[in-house]
Amino acid sequence: MQEKLNELKARLQAVYDLHGAAALLYWDQATYMPPGGAEARGRQLATLSQLAQEQFTDPAVGRLLEELQPYAASLPYDSDDASLLRVTGRQYQRALKLPPQFVAEIASHGARAYQAWTVARPANDFAAVQPLLERTLELSRRAAEYFGWPAGGHVADALIEEADYGMTVATLQPLFAALRQQLTPLVAAIQQQPAPDDSFLYRHYPEQQQWDFGVEVIQRFGYDFQQGRQDKTHHPFMIKFGPGDVRITTRFRENDLGDGLFSTMHESGHAMYEQGVSLALAGTPLGGGASAGVHESQSRLWENLVGRSQAFWSYYYPRLQALFAQQLGDVAQDAFYRAINKVQPSLIRVDADEVTYNLHVIIRFELELALLEGRLAVRDLPEAWRASYRDYLGVEAPDDRDGVLQDMHWYYSQIGGGFQGYTLGNILSATFWQAANAAHPEIEAQMAEGRFDALLSWLRANIHQHGSKFTAAELVQRITGAPLSIEPYIGYLTNKYGALYGI
Ligand code: ZN
């Protein structure tokens, strides 16, 4: 058995080496590659991903998985080897379901649609992408058919499980409906109160100082620059080449202090998760974060529950103020805290505050379901988008650029499965935060001294080290002893924003 297991691991390692090499090529494309490299780079990435796919779906992998079944059955569910065989088996079965020709079709259509979107968005030209999006919808439905879904389930379940295994429309819809029901009156009550002044966040903040401050903060968080680095991109992201090299990118606007700072914290949260996965799981399907939702819980936890908290700024505000004496010299700590937590219904998801953010996500989730079910035609999507924004947020986009064209997800990937992880991440972030603070009541006091080791070690022990061994629901059950619930998250928002806005 040990010999077969070693052979399986060697085959998986080769697959992950190809993924790591592709990741490096992608990172270079997004950071330093000259424009002339684009065509060859696209081909190289496609070649590597095809090789990885071929090696992973090799019948020898299937044979080994089958022969190792009795061994897996003899082990405890949460052991490394049982988890490896369970998760690899699941991914292997899924990978076999899509014909290689269809995979290639999706990839080439995705590249074309994304290219068209980069032109259509600034031009506010939905008509230009409409036929491409219709094709995306058709391909998404076909992919769902190939994957299949259980009787009584939803066509979107087949796509959601790719990013958030174990989550279904039947579990998500009531969760999201309850969340909306709680958030709507909170947003309305906040809007009755005077809006805090945040104009000083938009003064001139030189980039180099923003960079230095961000680096100081995430180093203190525990992001390890010996096993990573930070570079600049248009859209910040985290990327892993292998254990020991987990990089992040960020961006700065010199007239918007929050943009760079909070996205740096956000990406460092993703990266610390990957840096914390047990080395024993490296080079296998277990060697990365558990799901889109769990990943986002880590980034949002550091960005919001830490980075927008009073405790954090009681230590860091005097330092920030000293660094930007001209810009913030006349701004008290409390005014700063209120400004970075200003709630205001708006048009753009990525700029949304903590309270309204999930309404943006729920709108997209509901529209995806309507499209996949055939209740909504792509040509009617812009109007449906506007109607949802009026209904959920009370705002109306003057054009499609800041409406249905704002997110790249539907244009480079599929329709379905791409958004639920953001809201799951927020719900999970507060769930994990509550559990961490119950176990280590000193976390807040440490934060007020610029220390984060109690928090990080709790995350390492309870979440990071496990990689993909457990699903989101399993992690929640192990940590809290109860099923996933929106209560901790609603409790967090109500307490924080109730105090902030005096409601
Ligand atoms: Zn993220």
Side-chain angles (χ1 to χ4, degrees):
M1 281 300 166
Q2 200 53 50
E3 218 167 280
K4 290 186 200 304
L5 189 65
N6 289 343
E7 191 193 336
L8 178 68
K9 284 182 177 171
R11 285 179 174 274
L12 293 172
Q13 182 64 68
V15 171
Y16 281 87
D17 285 345
L18 289 168
H19 285 312
L24 178 55
L25 290 188
Y26 173 78
W27 171 87
D28 174 68
Q29 181 178 39
T31 49
Y32 299 112
M33 187 188 79
E39 200 186 321
R41 186 57 50 87
R43 194 185 55 242
Q44 291 154 356
L45 283 166
T47 302
L48 283 178
S49 91
Q50 198 191 329
L51 279 173
Q53 173 79 1
E54 280 169 14
Q55 295 208 8
F56 184 55
T57 53
D58 191 304
V61 172
R63 212 162 40 237
L64 286 165
L65 284 167
E66 209 174 292
E67 288 168 359
L68 284 159
Q69 264 319 302
Y71 173 61
S74 74
L75 298 169
Y77 182 87
D78 61 356
S79 69
D80 285 0
D81 285 349
S83 303
L84 173 71
L85 294 165
R86 179 176 67 246
V87 174
T88 307
R90 198 160 79 204
Q91 293 188 4
Y92 180 76
Q93 289 308 324
R94 192 173 166 89
L96 284 186
K97 287 180 177 166
L98 294 187
Q101 222 177 345
F102 182 69
V103 174
E105 200 180 340
I106 290 181
S108 78
H109 172 72
R112 197 163 55 239
Y114 176 75
Q115 181 53 38
W117 171 76
T118 60
V119 180
R121 190 184 178 205
N124 187 35
D125 188 2
F126 181 76
V129 290
Q130 187 192 313
L132 291 160
L133 208 49
E134 280 163 355
R135 178 99 181 111
T136 305
L137 179 59
E138 189 196 318
L139 291 171
S140 304
R141 281 213 195 98
R142 272 177 59 200
E145 299 280 347
Y146 280 127
F147 290 131
W149 60 92
H154 192 282
V155 49
D157 292 347
L159 305 172
I160 290 170
E161 74 168 13
E162 172 86 38
D164 290 292
Y165 183 83
M167 296 292 165
T168 63
V169 172
T171 51
L172 292 169
Q173 252 178 339
L175 214 58
F176 288 1
L179 192 58
R180 183 189 175 192
Q181 203 182 13
Q182 304 269 350
L183 289 175
T184 306
L186 181 60
V187 174
I190 288 172
Q191 286 190 282
Q192 299 299 311
Q193 303 302 315
D197 174 23
D198 63 349
S199 58
F200 46 82
L201 296 177
Y202 304 97
R203 290 172 180 165
H204 182 79
Y205 294 90
E207 181 176 310
Q208 188 59 47
Q209 283 160 280
Q210 289 195 51
W211 174 281
D212 293 343
F213 185 76
V215 166
E216 189 200 319
V217 167
I218 64 175
Q219 244 168 338
R220 285 290 195 101
F221 280 176
Y223 175 69
D224 182 357
F225 277 88
Q226 293 304 308
Q227 308 200 39
R229 56 177 284 131
Q230 180 176 258
D231 293 86
K232 286 201 300 175
T233 43
H234 191 60
H235 296 289
F237 61 86
M238 179 280 301
I239 196 160
K240 184 178 193 173
F241 303 147
D245 194 351
V246 182
R247 303 188 189 183
I248 55 176
T249 68
T250 191
R251 66 165 178 215
F252 297 100
R253 295 179 185 156
E254 292 204 314
N255 62 351
D256 183 350
L257 179 63
D259 191 60
L261 180 56
F262 292 110
S263 90
T264 301
M265 294 187 199
H266 181 99
E267 299 308 330
S268 82
H270 282 303
M272 286 186 283
Y273 186 6
E274 293 290 339
Q275 287 184 334
V277 175
S278 161
L279 282 177
L281 309 178
T284 77
L286 302 182
S291 67
V294 177
H295 236 298
E296 200 65 9
S297 79
Q298 299 307 293
S299 54
R300 299 287 280 178
L301 186 145
W302 290 99
E303 175 193 356
N304 290 329
L305 288 104
V306 175
R308 292 182 205 268
S309 72
Q310 231 158 356
F312 174 87
W313 286 108
S314 69
Y315 178 79
Y316 273 107
Y317 190 65
R319 308 174 77 81
L320 186 74
Q321 209 177 20
L323 188 64
F324 295 114
Q326 258 181 9
Q327 299 88 335
L328 294 172
D330 61 342
V331 179
Q333 186 179 313
D334 187 59
F336 181 81
Y337 173 66
R338 286 171 190 280
I340 57 166
N341 287 297
K342 181 179 177 178
V343 176
Q344 190 168 43
S346 64
L347 294 171
I348 306 292
R349 175 182 62 88
V350 295
D351 297 335
D353 59 79
E354 277 186 281
V355 183
T356 60
Y357 184 88
N358 298 291
L359 297 171
H360 293 260
V361 176
I362 296 169
I363 287 172
R364 288 153 177 77
F365 181 74
E366 294 294 338
L367 290 173
E368 285 187 332
L369 299 189
L371 287 165
L372 286 166
E373 286 171 29
R375 281 187 285 122
L376 176 65
V378 169
R379 67 172 177 279
D380 299 326
L381 185 58
E383 183 44 45
W385 183 283
R386 279 189 285 275
S388 296
Y389 266 78
R390 278 194 299 270
D391 186 21
Y392 281 66
L393 285 153
V395 294
E396 172 132 15
D399 54 31
D400 292 333
R401 183 181 7 230
D402 288 341
V404 70
L405 287 170
Q406 71 179 264
D407 294 307
M408 67 172 88
H409 302 59
W410 292 338
Y411 302 93
Y412 84 91
S413 178
Q414 65 193 12
I415 293 175
F419 285 105
Q420 74 286 331
Y422 293 111
T423 282
L424 277 171
N426 285 327
I427 297 170
L428 291 168
S429 70
T431 305
F432 296 150
W433 175 255
Q434 193 180 58
N437 280 273
H440 292 281
E442 73 275 21
I443 284 176
E444 282 215 38
Q446 277 201 354
M447 276 168 41
E449 294 167 0
R451 290 171 51 212
F452 306 93
D453 42 288
L455 175 59
L456 183 61
S457 22
W458 186 90
L459 294 170
R460 289 263 191 266
N462 290 278
I463 298 167
H464 299 178
Q465 63 155 333
H466 300 309
S468 289
K469 279 170 70 170
F470 305 113
T471 67
E474 287 169 347
L475 277 175
V476 170
Q477 188 70 44
R478 286 171 62 95
I479 289 169
T480 68
L484 179 64
S485 148
I486 62 167
E487 296 314 320
Y489 184 52
I490 290 296
Y492 158 71
L493 289 179
T494 316
N495 285 338
K496 176 173 175 180
Y497 290 90
L500 262 164
Y501 281 89
I503 47 177

